Amino acid sequence: MTLTVRPLRADDPRDAEAVATVRRATVPYLVCTAETLGWEVAHAPAGQRLRWIVAERPDGTVAGCADAGLVAGSTEPGQGFLHTAVPPGASGQGVGSALVAAGEAYLAGIGVRRVHSWVADDDRAEGFAERRGYARSRQARFLGLDLRRAALPRLPEPLPAGVTLHRVAEFAEDLRPLYEADAECAADEPGDVSVGRTPYDEWLRHNWQRPDWDPELSSVVLVDGQVAAYSVAQTDGVDRYWSGMTGTRRAFRGRGLARLAKLAALRRARAAGYAHAYTGNDATNAPMLAVNRRLGYAEVATEWRCIKQL
């Protein structure tokens, strides 16, 4: 099949919708909308050098897509990412090969020496990656919950002494306390790349100003007035909910506060009409995997972080 590999036309809503459709078909657990995709293209950090590319068939339809750039905030120079999305119906037609070649050429041109990519945990995808020089590093798991049928427990009444439960929307005038908590929790996340602290203004712009992050559904737990735990809600505005991040500050761990924050967010999401909840965890993150399983999540898929030296 003859393919044209070209940059995403960010100013064309039809292009953004076609790419979002490809992403949803390839990784159905993620929240991905044309609006959010357009926002990401327009507001990506300058230092990320983000580029979206598409593989187009002769009839003008989009067969696959990829995003590539520098790992934002990395303390190690030359770290890049390349994520390709090819729906099952388009596999074996050269789409992935064309996208990887274009993406790697772009990354090499901006000085990337080490490429990180997420690859589905199946023989076809893993074999594709291995043949192109990518080696498996760490595993991650997608977990799903049917909010329409889930037996979500009630919130505890009363809450433990000193504990209060809030919506992120209540902190709209000053999100810095949540920023401090998120910076601490993010530093403890398992990963292959060391990432420095994101400046507050950039964190605010690229988190809470996104069109798919919902401050009404997102939860914050305070202990004696301090942010102790939180759970961020990301939605498609229709029926799908994704946990963007759930964390507990080090001084408050082991008290069930992450579970409390996430339970509150899930219950609000169900009340708002969302039917499908998904989340993702590194396979070594035993505490968060345990929290999610206690809430009723079940594993729906796995993937591998794969790395290649350019």
Side-chain angles (χ1 to χ4, degrees), residues 134-151:
Y134 288 82
R136 293 193 308 187
S137 172
R138 58 190 319 114
Q139 191 182 58
R141 298 174 181 171
F142 288 114
L143 306 175
L145 178 68
D146 186 339
L147 285 175
R148 297 164 299 184
R149 299 178 176 85

Side-chain angles (χ1 to χ4, degrees), residues 115-119 129 134-137 304-308:
V115 186
H116 302 257
S117 183
W118 285 110
V119 176
Y134 288 82
R136 293 193 308 187
S137 172
W304 286 95
R305 169 74 85 180
C306 292
I307 299 173
K308 177 180 179 176

Side-chain angles (χ1 to χ4, degrees), residues 212-278:
D212 57 349
W213 286 41
D214 193 325
E216 291 292 337
L217 301 184
S218 302
S219 294
V220 180
V221 176
L222 302 186
V223 175
D224 297 328
Q226 299 182 62
V227 173
Y230 62 97
S231 186
V232 175
Q234 185 179 354
T235 67
D236 64 359
V238 182
D239 66 352
R240 190 158 302 236
Y241 164 104
W242 172 266
S243 294
M245 174 68 169
T246 298
T248 304
R249 300 198 75 164
R250 297 174 191 128
F252 301 99
R253 290 174 186 168
R255 297 167 57 177
L257 300 179
R259 180 177 180 272
L260 176 62
K262 193 159 192 175
L263 173 60
L266 287 168
R267 291 184 66 88
R268 282 199 294 272
R270 181 162 68 181
Y274 289 96
H276 309 288
Y278 293 101

Side-chain angles (χ1 to χ4, degrees), residues 16-302:
E17 183 57 54
V19 169
T21 298
V22 165
R23 288 275 290 163
R24 289 193 297 266
T26 307
V27 191
Y29 322 108
L30 298 178
V31 168
C32 183
T33 67
E35 180 187 14
T36 298
L37 183 65
W39 188 93
E40 289 178 346
V41 172
H43 296 88
Q48 192 178 51
R49 305 286 294 274
L50 176 66
R51 175 172 291 183
W52 276 90
I53 54 179
V54 302
E56 188 177 72
R57 299 184 180 94
D59 63 2
T61 59
V62 172
C65 62
D67 58 304
L70 299 173
V71 176
S74 173
T75 58
E76 307 168 42
Q79 304 297 308
F81 62 88
L82 172 60
H83 304 129
T84 63
V86 180
S91 63
Q93 301 174 27
V95 178
S97 297
L99 289 168
V100 169
E104 289 182 352
Y106 170 68
L107 293 175
I110 60 174
V112 169
R113 300 197 300 269
R114 198 167 185 237
V115 186
H116 302 257
S117 183
W118 285 110
V119 176
D121 187 7
D122 62 55
D123 292 341
R124 182 190 60 79
E126 288 182 43
F128 176 89
E130 289 172 0
R131 288 192 296 274
R132 284 154 184 81
Y134 288 82
R136 293 193 308 187
S137 172
R138 58 190 319 114
Q139 191 182 58
R141 298 174 181 171
F142 288 114
L143 306 175
L145 178 68
D146 186 339
L147 285 175
R148 297 164 299 184
R149 299 178 176 85
L152 290 175
R154 293 181 179 274
L155 293 170
E157 294 183 7
L159 293 172
V163 175
T164 55
L165 189 56
H166 304 266
R167 294 168 294 112
V168 167
E170 298 172 46
F171 296 77
E173 293 184 3
D174 182 15
L175 284 169
R176 195 174 292 273
L178 184 59
Y179 162 73
E180 295 294 341
D182 191 51
E184 181 177 304
C185 294
D188 293 341
E189 282 282 285
D192 293 305
V193 182
S194 176
V195 178
R197 187 182 179 97
T198 303
Y200 175 67
D201 290 345
E202 185 176 318
W203 174 89
L204 190 65
R205 183 170 62 254
H206 295 291
N207 288 283
W208 293 107
Q209 294 175 6
R210 291 172 57 98
D212 57 349
W213 286 41
D214 193 325
E216 291 292 337
L217 301 184
S218 302
S219 294
V220 180
V221 176
L222 302 186
V223 175
D224 297 328
Q226 299 182 62
V227 173
Y230 62 97
S231 186
V232 175
Q234 185 179 354
T235 67
D236 64 359
V238 182
D239 66 352
R240 190 158 302 236
Y241 164 104
W242 172 266
S243 294
M245 174 68 169
T246 298
T248 304
R249 300 198 75 164
R250 297 174 191 128
F252 301 99
R253 290 174 186 168
R255 297 167 57 177
L257 300 179
R259 180 177 180 272
L260 176 62
K262 193 159 192 175
L263 173 60
L266 287 168
R267 291 184 66 88
R268 282 199 294 272
R270 181 162 68 181
Y274 289 96
H276 309 288
Y278 293 101
T279 191
N281 298 119
D282 188 276
T284 65
N285 193 346
M288 202 62 232
L289 286 166
V291 166
N292 288 323
R293 286 175 179 142
R294 285 188 65 200
L295 289 169
Y297 281 88
E299 186 175 305
V300 294
T302 57

